[in-house]
Amino acid sequence: MSNTALHDTFGRPLASLRISVTDRCNMRCRYCMPEDEYVWLPRESILTFEEITRLVGVFASLGVHKVRLTGGEPLLRHDLASLVAMIARDPRIADLALTTNGLLLAKHAADLRRAGLQRVTVSLDTLRPDRMLAFAKSARHADVLAGIAAARAAGFDRVKINAVVMRGFNDDELADLIEFGRPHGAEVRFIEYMDVGGATRWSTDQVVSQREMLGLLGRRYGAIEPVAGDQRAPAERFRLPDGATFGIIASTTAPFCASCDRSRLTADGHWFLCLYAAQGIDLREPLRHGASDQELAALIAGPWRGRADRGAEERLAVRERGALYPIESLRADPHREMHTRGG
Ligand code: SAM
């Protein structure tokens, strides 16, 4: 970890970088990419692996020590394992992780592991293939399960499962998902449905709050205890009476802005200081026009020092809360999409 970590106006360190390696996805989840077609980032604007690695190096020089590759669907990016290997060579990156929908994981898990990937999170919202088909327009439920098994077999012993919980969709599957995770050694993290860009059909009544999730699980299992842990982690962890653990990311009803140390880099090199930020900072142009590492570091350090974003807390204060952006506004600026800035 770097001693030179930068802090923002609320004392939050620049520590964690999520990199969207592609805006493309092979699923169409209703809470993220409900449309069939999107305005995609121009191909020539997409950062090369060398460009991403160079930026990671600059971020690392400023204190970033956690990197998560995401998207879009990161495994759609050709030869992702090579990027993993390039980033893994930097000893300052102590934690290198991937978030994937799992469709292509069985094919790539072993290569990713060999390349130096440390952790994998697989998104799995339902155990029912018919629900996945209706909800995410994908008939490949079995591939996700095969991906989870392959990740374990490849040596990822801390696979996590992300499940966005939505009322009327999968709120009757919380216990089933925990039970599914047990033999796979996979801890489930339930995520409250967020009104991020892309969630154009979001409404408050579909959000199942942390409190409600704990109620549902408490009725099934008995007393649930909180697990003390990392204050900076977005998930609060809990233990069932039988010892099994799970997490809840309550970004909608109890946001973690106060401890948020993450920022996001899009596949075309725009840097966002908050998932809800209206604007990003273009690092690609200076990168491609000969900026030195010191110059790039200055372009990052200044905005981080001045960072005052509390996007999720501000959303909490909105009275008539609905979708953050309508589809027309997302088409006009795809950088507002969750799948562009990296979930
Ligand atoms: N395609 C990869 C995947 O499915 O994991 C990575 C990108 S995806 C945007 C990253 C995570 O964001 C997934 O776990 C997904 O469930 C979550 N996500 C997307 N839209 C969300 C929303 N509206 N509310 C809460 N979580 C959301």
Side-chain angles (χ1 to χ4, degrees), residues 18 24-27 29-33 69-74 99-102 121-125 162-165 191-199 202 251-252 338-339 342-343:
R18 299 168 89 88
R24 308 269 173 159
C25 193
N26 45 6
M27 284 179 57
C29 302
R30 208 174 300 173
Y31 52 71
C32 187
M33 294 183 79
L69 303 176
T70 179
E73 172 44 43
T99 302
T100 172
N101 62 27
T121 300
V122 180
S123 299
L124 176 67
D125 300 321
N162 270 359
V164 178
V165 182
I191 308 177
E192 289 181 352
Y193 182 21
M194 295 170 69
D195 55 345
V196 287
W202 189 92
S251 321
T252 302
M338 170 81 150
H339 67 260

Side-chain angles (χ1 to χ4, degrees), residues 17-19 47 49-69 83 86-88 90 92-93 96 265 283 287 296 300:
L17 183 67
R18 299 168 89 88
I19 305 175
L47 298 183
F49 287 174
E50 288 71 20
E51 289 172 330
I52 294 174
T53 307
R54 177 153 173 234
L55 284 177
V56 168
V58 176
F59 276 101
S61 74
L62 294 168
V64 164
H65 55 93
K66 292 172 73 174
V67 168
R68 179 172 291 273
L69 303 176
L83 175 65
M86 289 162 79
I87 297 174
D90 190 329
R92 296 167 296 183
I93 304 304
L96 181 54
L265 185 66
L283 298 177
L287 177 76
L296 289 169
I300 295 165

